Amino acid sequence: MAICTVYTTQSLNSTCSVSKPAKPQLGFHQKQVVFFTKSRRRSGMSSCGSSVITCSAGEQRTVVIGLAADSGCGKSTFMRRLTSVFGGAAEPPRGGNPDSNTLISDTTTVICLDDYHSLDRTGRKEKGVTALDPRANDFDLMYEQVKAIKDGIAVEKPIYNHVTGLLDPPETIKPPKILVIEGLHPMYDARVRDLLDFSIYLDISNEVKFAWKIQRDMAERGHSLESIKASIEARKPDFDAYIDPQKQYADAVIEVLPTQLIPDDNEGKVLRVRLIMKEGVTYFSPVYLFDEGSTISWIPCGRKLTCSYPGINFSYGPDTYYGHEVSVLEMDGQFDRLDELIYVESHLSNISTKFYGEITQQLLKHSDFPGSNNGTGLFQTIVGLKIRDLFEQIVASRAATPLEATKA
Amino acid sequence: MAICTVYTTQSLNSTCSVSKPAKPQLGFHQKQVVFFTKSRRRSGMSSCGSSVITCSAGEQRTVVIGLAADSGCGKSTFMRRLTSVFGGAAEPPRGGNPDSNTLISDTTTVICLDDYHSLDRTGRKEKGVTALDPRANDFDLMYEQVKAIKDGIAVEKPIYNHVTGLLDPPETIKPPKILVIEGLHPMYDARVRDLLDFSIYLDISNEVKFAWKIQRDMAERGHSLESIKASIEARKPDFDAYIDPQKQYADAVIEVLPTQLIPDDNEGKVLRVRLIMKEGVTYFSPVYLFDEGSTISWIPCGRKLTCSYPGINFSYGPDTYYGHEVSVLEMDGQFDRLDELIYVESHLSNISTKFYGEITQQLLKHSDFPGSNNGTGLFQTIVGLKIRDLFEQIVASRAATPLEATKA
C-alpha cells in the first residue's frame, strides 16, 4: 500500500486535494483516492496511487461534525440553518449526479450517511434488513473516508440514490473547512465517532414523530392512519436498537416533545423543545439563562412582553444525561411576533452571536423553514452558532500551536 | 384655638420643636403641644399656647412609615433592622419612662400605636373588648399627632404601659426625619393612612404563628398547648375583622408561610417568605429577579453554589393583590453559609443598596436577630433599604421643589 510522502509529512497542517481529469463526475470511476471497494477497505489511510495531490500551506484541517436523526426529522432544515450561519447557501455539487445527497457551501460540505449503505433497496429486501440496521451500512468505508477528509485528502464517495434505491457511481468530496456527516449512524461506529469534533442528536419523541407523519403522509400523501402506525411500529425495533443509543455520545441533543402548555395536546403544532448540552466539551460552552449552573424557570410573557396563547415557557438547569453532566435549556411554546423573539434572545447568555439580534435575524431570514417560530428553529440556530464558534476556536488554537492535533 | 404663626407660614418646610422646662418627663403634664385630652382632640392642628416653638430652616418634613402586624410577629426586629440600615442604633428616649415603647435613633423615631389605646387593660376587660378592637383605640388623637409630627410639630404622646396595663403620662415626641408608626392599626383609619408615605404589613400565616407561639409560650413560658390554641382562637375574630383587612392598603406585605421544601413540615423553622410589592407607588420601585415583569423560579443551589438540605428556592413574578398590580418575590428555605447569602444578593436587582454586599453585611451584623438566615430577615432588610431610598428621594424632590408637598 502506497503512503503518499505529502501525507506523512504535511497532512496535519495542510489541506490537500486530488487533481483529476476535468470530466463529468457522473459515472466517473477513479481509484486514486480513498475508495469504497471491498479490497481497500481496511488499508487504513488513503492510497494515493499515481494521482497528483496538492496541499495548501494553511493550518486548516477539516472540522468534522456529526448529526444523527431519523429520516424526516428535520436534518436538512438544520443543515440549511447551519450553513446560513456561516454565510453561504448550500447547494448540491455542480455538474454532478442530480440525485446526489451532498450539499456544499463556501465553508461547509454536508454528506448524507445513506451514501454508505452497503445494501441497496433490493439487497435489503432480500436479506430482510432495514436501512437502520448496521449490516446495511459500510462503516469501514465511512471511517476511512471521513478520516481521509479530516486529514485533508479528497475522497470518492458513493451515492445512494433515494429515488431509485440503487448505489450510483461515486462523487468526489474535497476536504472542506467543515464537514458535516448527517444521517442515521454518525455516532454508531466508535472509529467514526472519534473523528467527530462535535456531535448532535435530533431526538424527536414518538408522539411528535407520529403527529408529523400524520400531517405529512396522511394529509399530503393520502396514506391511511393504519399504514402510518404500521410503518412507525415496523421501524421501531431497529430504531431503538441502533439509532437511539447514539444519543448518549452526542455533545448536544435537541429533544422535541409535545407542549405542556396546552392540556392533552396531540396536534404536535406547539412544541416543547429541550437543548441538552454536555459539560466539559472542549471549545463548547453551553448556553444559559440568567445564572449559569442554577435551576431556572422563566415565563418571559408578563409586564414587559405580552404573548398570545398559550404563551412561552423557558427553563434551564443542570442535569445528568446517560451519566454525563449536562445543562438543559428548554423552550415550550412558540413565537408569534418579532418582539418576543428578540426579547428571548436578549436574555440568553453564551449564545456565541457576533452581533446583537443575530439569532433573530437568522430565524427571520428563514421564517419559511419549519420550526422558525419555536424551539427547534431557535436551538438549531444556536447550535449553528456554537459550531461556528467551535470552528473558529479550533482554527485559532491550531494557528497558535500548528503541530498539535486538537482531537486524538 | 391658637394657631402658631410659625406653623402657618413655615411649617411645610421646617422642622419645629417645642422647648420646655428641662425636667424629667415622668409624670410631666404640659399642654402647650398637641395633646391627648378629649377637649382638644378635634381641634385640628396643634395648639401652641405660650410655649416656644423653634423651627429649623431645612426643607425637611417628617417622612411617615406605617408598619402593621399582630403582637409578637417580629415588628421590633424589623424596626431594629430598619434603623440599622440608617446607621444608628435605636434606643428608648433618654431619661424618660422606662416602660416607654418608643425607640429613637439619629434619623428615625419608632412609636408604638398601643400608646393610642383609649382603654387600659381594666377598661377593656370591663367593656369586653380586645386591644384589636378599634373601640379600644383613639384614632382621632393618633391622626392629630401623626399629622402634627409630619408637619414638624412636637407632640405629647401618651404611653401605654405593657407591664402595668395602664396609660402612663405622656412623653414628648419631636419630629424626626423618619417616623415609623408600628402596631395593630397603622392603616385602619383612613386619615392616618393618608399620612403614610409608605406602609408595610407583616402577614404571618396561622400555621407559622401557631408554631412560633408554641415555641415561645410552651417551651419558654410553660403554657399548655390547649391554652395556646385557645388564646389564638380567642384573638382570631377581632384580628380578622380589624387587623387583617389593612393589608390591602400596604405598599409592601411580607408574608410568612410554612416551607414547601419539606413535605408536611410543621416545625415552622424553615420558612417560605413572600415580599409583595405594590406597583406604581411613588419613590418605590419593586425588587426583581433577573427579568423585571416576567415570571421566574430560581434554585440558586447548583453547579456554582452548593446548599445544605432543603436548599433555597426563589420565585418572582407579577400578580394582583386585592385588585392592585403587585410584584412578588419569594424565598423558601434558609441560608447556611455566607456565600449563599452574597450569591443571592448579587442576583437581585433594584435592591437600593449603596455598595456591593450591603444586605449581606446587614444580615451578618445582626445574625443574632430572629430570621437573619431566611426570607424574613432578607426582606425586612430589603424593605429597610427601600425606605432609605424612598426617604432620600423625597428629600431630593423637596430640595428641587421646596414648597410642594409630596403626599396630600
Side-chain angles (χ1 to χ4, degrees), chain A residues 291 295 297 299 303 326-327 343, chain B residues 291 295 299 303 326-327 343:
Chain A
D291 177 29
T295 302
S297 93
I299 301 170
R303 228 168 253 149
V326 296
S327 286
Y343 191 82
Chain B
D291 176 28
T295 302
I299 301 171
R303 226 168 254 149
V326 295
S327 285
Y343 191 82

Side-chain angles (χ1 to χ4, degrees), chain B residues 156-322:
Chain B
E156 289 290 301
K157 182 191 60 55
I159 297 174
Y160 176 76
N161 190 317
H162 284 93
V163 182
T164 61
L166 296 170
L167 287 158
D168 283 354
E171 62 186 354
T172 304
I173 303 293
K174 292 182 187 174
K177 288 180 177 168
I178 299 168
L179 174 73
V180 181
I181 58 169
E182 62 95 349
L184 294 166
H185 304 94
M187 287 97 89
Y188 182 83
D189 184 279
R191 297 165 302 167
V192 178
R193 204 159 65 222
D194 285 348
L195 294 172
L196 302 176
D197 292 289
F198 195 74
S199 56
I200 308 135
Y201 187 99
L202 280 186
D203 189 10
I204 318 295
S205 71
N206 288 329
E207 298 96 314
V208 173
K209 220 181 254 186
F210 188 66
W212 284 0
K213 278 211 190 267
I214 284 179
Q215 174 61 27
R216 194 186 64 181
D217 294 350
M218 210 163 124
E220 292 167 19
R221 299 183 187 174
H223 296 195
S224 73
L225 190 65
E226 284 65 36
S227 75
I228 296 165
K229 275 186 183 166
S231 96
I232 290 179
E233 285 307 310
R235 267 179 96 73
K236 206 169 178 305
D238 277 1
F239 184 83
D240 292 347
Y242 309 120
I243 312 305
D244 192 74
Q246 292 176 87
K247 61 193 185 194
Q248 67 190 292
Y249 305 116
D251 297 317
V253 174
I254 297 180
E255 246 179 40
V256 184
L257 301 151
T259 183
Q260 289 180 336
L261 299 174
I262 306 168
D264 305 318
D265 177 75
N266 53 13
E267 280 196 71
K269 279 181 186 162
V270 181
L271 298 174
R272 180 166 75 99
V273 187
R274 288 158 56 86
L275 175 57
I276 301 164
M277 299 162 280
K278 202 179 269 182
E279 291 288 331
V281 175
T282 314
Y283 306 125
F284 174 60
S285 58
V287 178
Y288 68 88
L289 191 56
F290 300 124
D291 176 28
E292 196 172 4
S294 74
T295 302
I296 301 256
S297 93
W298 177 48
I299 301 171
C301 317
R303 226 168 254 149
K304 286 190 185 167
L305 179 74
T306 49
C307 310
S308 21
Y309 178 84
I312 300 172
N313 202 341
F314 272 81
S315 58
Y316 161 76
D319 206 341
T320 53
Y321 186 80
Y322 290 94

Side-chain angles (χ1 to χ4, degrees), chain A residues 1 3 34 40-47 143-144 147:
Chain A
M1 184 192 71
I3 301 290
V34 176
R40 295 192 186 256
R41 211 174 282 161
R42 292 181 196 285
S43 65
M45 260 312 103
S46 79
S47 156
Y143 165 64
E144 285 167 13
K147 174 141 179 46

Side-chain angles (χ1 to χ4, degrees), chain A residues 306-349:
Chain A
T306 48
C307 309
S308 19
Y309 179 83
I312 300 173
N313 201 341
F314 272 81
S315 58
Y316 161 76
D319 207 341
T320 54
Y321 187 79
Y322 289 95
H324 296 290
E325 205 176 330
V326 296
S327 286
V328 181
L329 179 65
E330 176 182 313
M331 174 182 170
D332 196 351
Q334 57 192 29
F335 304 110
D336 280 334
R337 297 192 321 265
L338 172 65
D339 59 342
E340 298 173 11
L341 187 44
I342 193 82
Y343 191 82
V344 164
E345 176 177 356
S346 67
H347 286 82
L348 294 169
S349 297

Side-chain angles (χ1 to χ4, degrees), chain B residues 67 69-79 202 204 212 380:
Chain B
L67 172 66
D70 202 358
S71 330
C73 287
K75 292 191 300 289
S76 65
T77 301
F78 194 170
M79 285 307 101
L202 280 186
I204 318 295
W212 284 0
Q380 285 174 3

